[in-house]
Amino acid sequence: MAEIATIARPYAEALFKAAGADAPAAAQWLDELAVIAGNEQLLQFADNPKVTTEQVFDVIVGVAKQTLPEMGRNFLRTVIENGRLAVLPEIARQFRSLMNAQQGRSDAVVYSAYDIDAAGLDELAGVLEKRFGRKLNLQVVLQPELIGGVRVVVGDEVLDASIKARLEQMRMALTA
């Protein structure tokens, strides 16, 4: 996995530097390209020696929901020509990390047993931003096995306030 991160880093840094003030817009089209590049059938198609880089490019641009700006088209061509299509999801992740670092923000994944409405998510965001000391980009993932409560992952920090975790703590205390 470290090899993919090492390969992706110069691409992410170069795109971030080239995007400048347009980084948020670049992040949107880059995220879409990353999702497309994560498709196993597309990767198999791209690895076929009979398929040209232009054919791969045309397929990806045809599947994309939004029209790529000139920078996006050039970036995608470079990635395809260098045989780095499979690394595109990692490039997008590192690009988002660079953008978040510049803005003083972090991505946070909130695992919840139940769907959280907009008002509840705003309230939770306020509490979590105080707890972690920075602005957070929240993404909610449903995980019914938590029973209730939430489990929040921000980078390498984890805040587990789920009922499942509390029950596990009680089990450990009773068996110790």
Side-chain angles (χ1 to χ4, degrees):
M1 209 52 147
E3 183 178 288
I4 290 175
T6 303
I7 292 169
R9 187 173 299 109
Y11 289 93
E13 290 173 351
L15 180 60
F16 184 72
K17 191 174 185 180
D22 292 335
Q28 288 183 342
W29 56 256
L30 184 59
D31 286 343
E32 183 178 5
L33 290 178
V35 169
I36 294 169
N39 184 299
E40 193 61 39
Q41 290 175 327
L42 175 67
L43 293 175
Q44 289 175 355
F45 175 74
D47 286 341
N48 186 335
K50 295 181 182 179
V51 175
T52 66
T53 58
E54 196 58 36
Q55 289 173 318
V56 175
F57 176 83
D58 290 342
V59 167
I60 294 172
V61 170
V63 171
K65 293 176 185 165
Q66 61 181 333
T67 304
L68 286 175
E70 191 61 31
M71 179 188 297
R73 297 173 75 81
N74 291 339
F75 181 76
L76 180 59
R77 274 195 177 92
T78 301
V79 168
I80 293 170
E81 288 169 2
N82 291 329
R84 303 298 190 208
L85 191 59
V87 182
L88 202 48
E90 179 64 18
I91 294 170
R93 191 192 67 69
Q94 288 190 24
F95 182 87
R96 180 132 339 245
S97 293
L98 291 168
M99 194 173 73
N100 285 341
Q102 182 188 45
Q103 297 172 346
R105 302 180 71 86
S106 292
D107 287 331
V109 180
V110 177
Y111 297 97
S112 174
Y114 302 101
D115 197 22
I116 303 172
D117 64 355
L121 193 58
D122 288 341
E123 184 180 331
L124 180 62
V127 171
L128 292 173
E129 286 173 357
K130 285 181 186 175
R131 165 70 171 79
F132 289 101
R134 56 190 175 267
K135 293 282 187 187
L136 299 174
N137 303 323
L138 297 182
Q139 174 191 1
V140 178
V141 175
L142 292 180
Q143 217 172 37
E145 61 269 15
L146 293 178
I147 304 169
V150 294
R151 180 173 178 262
V152 182
V153 179
V154 180
D156 60 354
E157 298 177 75
V158 178
L159 173 65
D160 198 342
S162 67
I163 293 176
K164 180 180 178 182
R166 290 182 188 157
L167 288 172
E168 184 63 27
Q169 289 171 349
M170 288 172 45
R171 184 183 71 80
M172 295 298 286
L174 291 171
T175 59

